[in-house]
Amino acid sequence: MKQFAIIAGSGFRSFATNSETRIIDTDFGKPSGPLRKIELSGHAVYFLPRHGDDLFIPPHAINYRANMKALKQLSVEQIISINTVGVIAEKQHPGQIAIPDQLIDYSWGRAHSYFDGSGKIDHIDFTHPFSESLRNQLLVAANNADVAVHVGGVYAVTQGPRLESAAEVDRLCRDGADYVGMTAMPEASLARELGMDYACLSLIVNYAAGRGQAPIHEDLAVGTKKAKARALALIESFFLNLK
Ligand code: HPA
């Protein structure tokens, strides 16, 4: 049985109760918070709170290298990244869920690689940035749980913590992006550098800037609640059916 981990942000604190806690240190410093070994449908899964237990760590200040290295040290092989996104694609709406298959990285200044000049370099193959097999497993879980998901799509990673301007979203759209979020990079490439499978379960929580009718923060409140409920059902089904 492969060791799984879930990285999630706000809204998934329910995963963190009554669980065995592991304080891990790495060559790159401490991860965002204690790693908790939780049980999901009879499977032991590590849970890492991406923004820390108090949710005080903004996307650009996360120690991504420590987070991913800590999971590697715990022999994690498969990482489900739960993250929130704004939607750019037409006919998709807050409250829905997506399993993107591509990304474009617009983030900057983040420590984003373990190849720091101190050893041999490996130029990882990043043609398909997310693990296809893990994406497929998520899709099967969605079908089993009767949770509708958007399959595929391009996740644009912005720096944050502010949301985008409408013109920035227009540019992302011209570049071919369907979703915009702040954390899939460098998580995805660091996981690849360490040989761990990584896929995103993206919660669509708002229309991207300039694309919706209501103020973004009004969308966010409703979208997050609905998408979270769907994601929880999907995750439960994922581990229930894990062989
Ligand atoms: N932009 C960037 N990140 C996000 C958004 C957004 O609109 N919504 C949730 N995370």
Side-chain angles (χ1 to χ4, degrees):
M1 176 62 62
K2 292 195 167 166
Q3 179 64 62
F4 279 83
I6 293 176
I7 309 178
S10 46
F12 288 85
R13 294 168 75 88
S14 56
F15 283 156
T17 48
N18 292 334
S19 43
E20 182 191 322
T21 299
R22 302 281 298 268
I23 309 285
I24 305 280
D25 210 351
T26 79
D27 288 350
F28 302 91
K30 288 193 175 15
S32 296
L35 277 124
R36 294 194 173 80
K37 198 165 198 176
I38 59 172
E39 200 191 293
L40 293 175
S41 310
H43 293 274
V45 180
Y46 284 109
F47 172 70
L48 173 61
R50 183 183 281 115
H51 300 286
D53 266 353
D54 299 326
L55 306 175
F56 286 168
I57 311 173
H60 65 284
I62 290 171
N63 188 341
Y64 292 97
R65 292 195 300 182
N67 282 356
M68 305 312 275
K69 196 64 196 278
L71 296 180
K72 183 73 182 175
Q73 286 173 204
L74 290 169
S75 302
V76 167
E77 291 169 278
Q78 310 256 299
I79 301 169
I80 300 172
S81 164
I82 302 179
N83 45 51
T84 61
V85 294
V87 67
I88 302 169
E90 284 178 10
K91 302 198 179 101
Q92 298 194 29
H93 307 285
Q96 299 178 337
I97 301 240
I99 304 175
D101 65 349
Q102 277 297 332
L103 63 77
I104 304 176
D105 187 11
Y106 300 87
S107 71
W108 48 271
R110 302 179 180 187
H112 65 282
S113 176
Y114 295 108
F115 299 110
D116 55 5
S118 60
K120 193 172 161 289
I121 305 169
D122 183 8
H123 299 285
I124 53 161
D125 184 340
F126 208 50
T127 312
H128 301 288
F130 303 118
S131 158
E132 287 300 306
S133 63
L134 189 50
R135 286 186 61 250
N136 284 333
Q137 278 179 271
L138 288 167
L139 187 55
V140 170
N143 290 338
N144 287 339
D146 221 3
V147 172
V149 283
H150 296 289
V151 183
V154 180
Y155 178 136
V157 188
T158 54
Q159 179 72 352
R162 67 167 177 83
L163 296 168
E164 296 69 39
S165 70
E168 285 170 334
V169 170
D170 288 343
R171 173 192 170 209
L172 299 180
C173 184
R174 287 194 298 275
D175 283 356
D178 298 294
Y179 310 105
V180 54
M182 299 174 192
T183 54
M185 284 295 282
E187 282 181 3
S189 58
L190 290 170
R192 183 69 50 87
E193 285 188 359
L194 293 174
M196 298 184 287
D197 282 346
Y198 176 97
C200 289
L201 187 59
S202 296
L203 279 56
I204 301 174
V205 293
N206 59 282
Y207 294 107
R211 302 275 150 152
Q213 303 300 318
I216 287 190
H217 284 94
E218 278 177 27
D219 284 347
L220 269 167
V222 185
T224 304
K225 200 165 167 224
K226 276 196 198 164
K228 188 188 152 193
R230 290 182 164 132
L232 284 171
L234 193 157
I235 291 290
E236 192 187 321
S237 147
F238 184 98
F239 288 103
L240 202 58
N241 293 297
L242 202 64
K243 306 264 171 351

